[in-house]
Amino acid sequence: MVTLVGSTIIVFAICGAVEADEPALTLVRNGEPASIIVTAAAPSTAARQGAEDLQMWLRRMSGAIVPIQSEDKIAEDDNWTVVLVGDTQQTRSLGIRPDSLQLEEIIVRTFPEALVITGDDE
């Protein structure tokens, strides 16, 4: 999942994975973070590594250091785009069940004000 997350975000950024009728999600604006990477309170090793890789690739592409925070420690802030990495309570509340995925399968899906990147970590 580690290399896959980095590759996925690059493809997402270059090709655009947002449907035409959905608003674009801003991850970085003018070299400053406009998003926050969110993991579960106790993320799997793959999710933690995926979040760190995503942060690294966003920094390399934009110069911005997008913060990583566990979902139990984030304050609700309407100004941030939330990037959910791995199996989180928020991911499940959006109807995504990573444990139902096949080995090596990954979901990249947009919602208003959120981007979900997750896979089966087992």
Side-chain angles (χ1 to χ4, degrees):
M1 185 169 160
V2 174
T3 304
L4 189 56
V5 170
S7 300
T8 301
I9 196 63
I10 291 170
V11 170
F12 184 80
I14 293 171
C15 299
V18 178
E19 296 289 330
D21 59 342
E22 292 182 19
L25 297 176
T26 303
L27 303 181
V28 175
R29 182 180 297 113
N30 298 324
E32 296 294 325
S35 60
I36 185 167
I37 300 167
V38 178
T39 65
S44 67
T45 301
R48 183 175 36 257
Q49 184 65 54
E52 290 170 0
D53 284 352
L54 175 59
Q55 181 186 53
M56 176 197 63
W57 285 111
L58 289 171
R59 181 182 51 77
R60 285 184 178 183
M61 290 188 299
S62 68
I65 299 174
V66 176
I68 299 172
Q69 192 64 260
S70 63
E71 65 183 338
D72 62 331
K73 295 196 170 121
I74 61 169
E76 298 214 12
D77 187 341
D78 293 336
N79 295 326
W80 293 100
T81 296
V82 175
V83 182
L84 300 168
V85 176
D87 189 2
T88 68
Q89 290 176 358
Q90 289 177 288
T91 300
R92 288 183 175 269
S93 73
L94 293 169
I96 296 175
R97 304 282 186 265
D99 53 357
S100 69
L101 300 174
Q102 299 295 317
L103 182 64
E104 301 292 327
E105 189 175 5
I106 188 169
I107 291 177
V108 178
R109 186 163 171 206
T110 59
F111 294 88
E113 303 302 320
L115 169 63
V116 175
I117 304 172
T118 191
D120 183 8
D121 291 346
E122 295 303 316

